[in-house]
Amino acid sequence: MARVAGVDIPDNKRVEIALRRIHGVGPTAATRIASQAGITGNPKVREVPDDQLARVREIIDHDYIVEGDLRREVNDNIRRLIDIGAYRGLRHRRGLPVHGQRTKTNARTKRSGRRTVAGKRRVMKK
């Protein structure tokens, strides 16, 4: 396994797919990184020469905020919203959807699991 930005990327996957294992690198960034490193044809990671992998490491270290630094930055931004008392901060604090989604229905993953509502029992007639 190749190690890029502190993450082991799988050898048996294509480069653009394997780079997405790094937190902060999505599909567009992975394609851009591969083209900047001079990797053409989207080969598997094990087929890429070591000098090109070193170039990928260099590009990610120099141009992108990834992994721990990105997680810290996102958490700091959320903490700041909570501290200043912004509406978005209150939604984060309460564990509710932040971006204006409805909560009367459909907010199950953000709120809690499904709650069953007790209904009337049907009586069977003979």
Side-chain angles (χ1 to χ4, degrees):
M1 287 193 147
R3 194 159 183 84
V4 178
V7 177
D8 290 331
I9 60 174
D11 285 339
N12 58 342
K13 292 189 182 282
R14 303 266 173 207
V15 173
E16 293 178 10
I17 302 299
L19 286 176
R20 295 184 202 179
R21 290 285 179 97
I22 302 168
H23 181 75
V25 177
T28 306
T31 305
R32 192 175 300 134
I33 290 166
S35 64
Q36 284 178 348
I39 300 171
T40 57
N42 199 16
K44 292 193 175 190
V45 174
R46 66 172 161 255
E47 299 166 358
V48 177
D50 289 337
D51 60 328
Q52 286 182 337
L53 278 177
R55 179 83 178 118
V56 167
R57 284 188 201 96
E58 182 181 315
I59 290 168
I60 290 176
D61 289 342
H62 186 264
D63 297 340
Y64 292 89
I65 300 172
V66 292
E67 285 299 321
D69 294 335
L70 180 62
R71 292 178 206 273
R72 191 175 315 104
E73 185 175 320
V74 169
N75 283 331
D76 288 345
N77 289 339
I78 293 170
R79 207 53 44 218
R80 178 181 52 83
L81 289 170
I82 291 172
D83 290 343
I84 65 175
Y87 179 74
R88 285 172 51 202
L90 295 175
R91 302 299 282 182
H92 274 292
R93 185 184 309 151
R94 292 179 184 162
L96 293 169
V98 177
H99 296 289
Q101 297 93 330
R102 68 181 298 139
T103 55
K104 184 174 182 179
T105 61
N106 297 336
R108 292 292 175 219
T109 56
K110 198 64 175 148
R111 288 169 41 206
S112 64
R114 178 174 296 225
R115 293 190 185 103
T116 55
V117 178
K120 291 183 181 179
R121 285 203 152 175
R122 294 175 57 171
V123 179
M124 300 291 285
K125 293 184 180 180
K126 290 186 179 183

